Amino acid sequence: MPLLFIALSLAVLVIFQIAGDFLVRALGLPVPGSLVGLVGLTLALLVLGRVPAALGKVSGGLLRNMMLMLAPAVVGLIDNFGRVRDEWLPFLLAGVAGAVITLAVTAVILQHLLRKSGAVSTDTAVEGKA
Amino acid sequence: MSGLYTMIPNPPQPFPDWTGFALSAVLWIAVTFAAYLIAQRLYRRFGGNPVLVPVATTALMVMLVLWLSGTPYVNYAAATKPLNWWVGPSTVAIAIPLFTQLDRLKRIWKPLVIALLVGSIVAILSAIGIAWALGGSWQTLASLMPKSATMPIAIPMAERFGGLPALAAVAVVITGVVGTVISHPLLSLLKVTDPAARGFAIGLTAHAIGMARELQVNPVSGSFAALAMGLNGILTALLIPILMLALQ
């Protein structure tokens, strides 16, 4: 894939990000700018009717490596061990058990509703694959 | 600067500030990259064992380097800002898997809306309910409330209602990592096999961290995780003020 198309695809993503940030600030919306940019790009793709090949490849590459970009924020835990220490038990249990309950309730309800409406996709089931 | 550096009486300062900054940016981004490559290799070597989810192992390795070199986190955070900044455009890129799932979304929007509402309310109430039952302070409760929302939404929400931004960030990270690690075994145990239902539940619970993993695993569950993360972020920002009014 020519370098130019890669650069153009990155530019498209950056432009939607900046436009999203601008709208959020101008309208005082309670959501991050990238979320507005996401909606904007989805609408633009709807108008276009297809995903340009280069944009698809570049986006796939970014999304598969998002954990790399998130890592610096997670490293921030290093400064907060002390604050968590004071109330570590309620904090940790609420975090862990809250995640388990939320995950279980949401998944079971959604699968039940999808089965009822006959919309379950069996072709791409990913049981237990990590 | 702390550690070894402070032991030198008059530390040499051969670079003007901006050069020093550029060098440290290159250094710390390179360290993060290297840690990430090792984390990816470890993850694959152990057959994708969820305990080794790369974002956690990468962060642990970087923490170790920071600790050993006596580098304060603020310096590391400033240096890696260019790397962290790409979270924004990458979030915009979720539009592509979302677009490819639009036909499916139109068919199943009703179940999705119901699951979203229930999941979002359960996420908020389960966290504050458990912390309250165990005697957590209001500051802890408020910091935990938005923990299933993505970080840029969760932090200002917690702050607005009396939580600490740093605590909220910790709660978000714990939820993301724990949710991601337990998701596949738990969902298999509950016999949830549909990739849409799995992805949606993971994105709603474990926001960007869960989504990043799902996008590596399966494009369908990845795009539903992205959808759930976005919708739950917005809904959390709307639900918490309503809940606060109801509590008063």
Side-chain angles (χ1 to χ4, degrees):
Chain A
M1 185 170 40
L3 211 61
L4 176 68
F5 288 127
I6 299 178
L8 275 177
S9 305
L10 287 176
V12 166
L13 298 175
V14 169
I15 287 167
F16 273 95
Q17 155 77 36
I18 292 171
D21 276 337
F22 175 78
L23 274 176
V24 163
R25 229 170 264 181
L27 304 175
L29 301 173
V31 295
S34 49
L35 223 55
V36 177
L38 196 176
V39 175
L41 182 55
T42 310
L43 294 177
L45 289 173
L46 269 175
V47 172
L48 192 66
R50 66 185 179 85
V51 179
L55 184 62
K57 271 196 179 159
V58 167
S59 299
L62 280 178
L63 289 173
R64 272 192 301 278
N65 292 295
M66 226 171 147
M67 287 200 194
L68 169 66
M69 304 165 229
L70 290 168
V74 181
V75 174
L77 279 185
I78 200 170
D79 271 0
N80 295 303
F81 288 134
R83 281 181 230 219
V84 180
R85 197 169 41 204
D86 301 335
E87 290 184 38
W88 68 273
L89 186 68
F91 198 82
L92 200 67
L93 265 186
V96 173
V100 173
I101 295 168
T102 308
L103 196 59
V105 169
T106 312
V108 168
I109 286 182
L110 184 54
Q111 173 151 296
H112 174 74
L113 291 173
L114 287 176
R115 282 216 174 118
K116 232 172 55 181
S117 67
V120 164
S121 55
T122 46
D123 50 335
T124 43
V126 279
E127 176 146 26
K129 205 181 135 204
Chain B
M1 287 279 165
S2 60
L4 199 68
Y5 203 66
T6 51
M7 286 186 230
I8 307 168
N10 286 306
Q13 308 247 316
F15 303 111
D17 266 348
W18 65 270
T19 319
F21 175 74
L23 279 178
S24 84
V26 170
L27 171 72
W28 287 114
I29 290 174
V31 167
T32 312
F33 251 103
Y36 178 69
L37 287 179
I38 298 170
Q40 285 283 18
R41 188 159 285 188
L42 265 176
Y43 185 61
R44 282 197 203 115
R45 168 75 57 86
F46 288 93
N49 189 320
V51 178
L52 292 170
V53 58
V55 70
T57 33
T58 304
L60 278 176
M61 280 187 267
V62 173
M63 282 185 205
L64 191 67
V65 175
L66 288 180
W67 182 65
L68 287 176
S69 65
T71 310
Y73 175 68
V74 278
N75 292 14
Y76 171 79
T80 49
K81 229 175 189 156
L83 184 63
N84 195 237
W85 184 83
W86 279 95
V87 171
S90 303
T91 307
V92 174
I94 294 168
I96 284 91
L98 208 58
F99 173 76
T100 57
Q101 293 294 324
L102 271 184
D103 281 337
R104 188 128 187 263
L105 285 183
K106 278 183 218 147
R107 271 184 284 129
I108 60 171
W109 69 270
K110 259 189 209 157
L112 290 180
V113 168
I114 297 171
L116 170 71
L117 267 172
V118 175
S120 201
I121 292 170
V122 167
I124 298 169
L125 290 185
S126 64
I128 55 176
I130 295 165
W132 175 76
L134 292 169
S137 64
W138 174 251
Q139 197 177 58
T140 296
L141 299 195
S143 305
L144 280 164
M145 256 186 323
K147 73 189 179 59
S148 274
T150 182
M151 218 180 275
I153 294 180
I155 289 175
M157 289 316 291
E159 206 174 2
R160 206 153 109 200
F161 295 100
L164 268 184
L167 272 187
V170 178
V172 170
V173 171
I174 292 178
T175 305
V177 173
V178 170
T180 306
V181 167
I182 58 158
S183 60
H184 286 193
L186 178 68
L187 295 179
S188 299
L189 190 76
L190 293 169
K191 296 196 169 58
V192 177
T193 50
D194 181 60
R198 290 172 73 104
F200 197 85
I202 292 168
L204 190 147
T205 308
H207 48 86
I209 297 174
M211 177 200 68
R213 205 263 303 262
E214 286 316 293
L215 283 165
Q216 290 177 327
V217 172
N218 177 301
V220 178
S221 68
S223 50
F224 277 88
L227 177 73
M229 180 195 81
L231 293 176
N232 187 43
I234 297 168
L235 193 60
T236 304
L238 298 174
L239 280 177
I240 288 182
I242 296 173
L243 180 76
M244 288 298 108
L245 277 179
L247 283 179
Q248 271 163 14

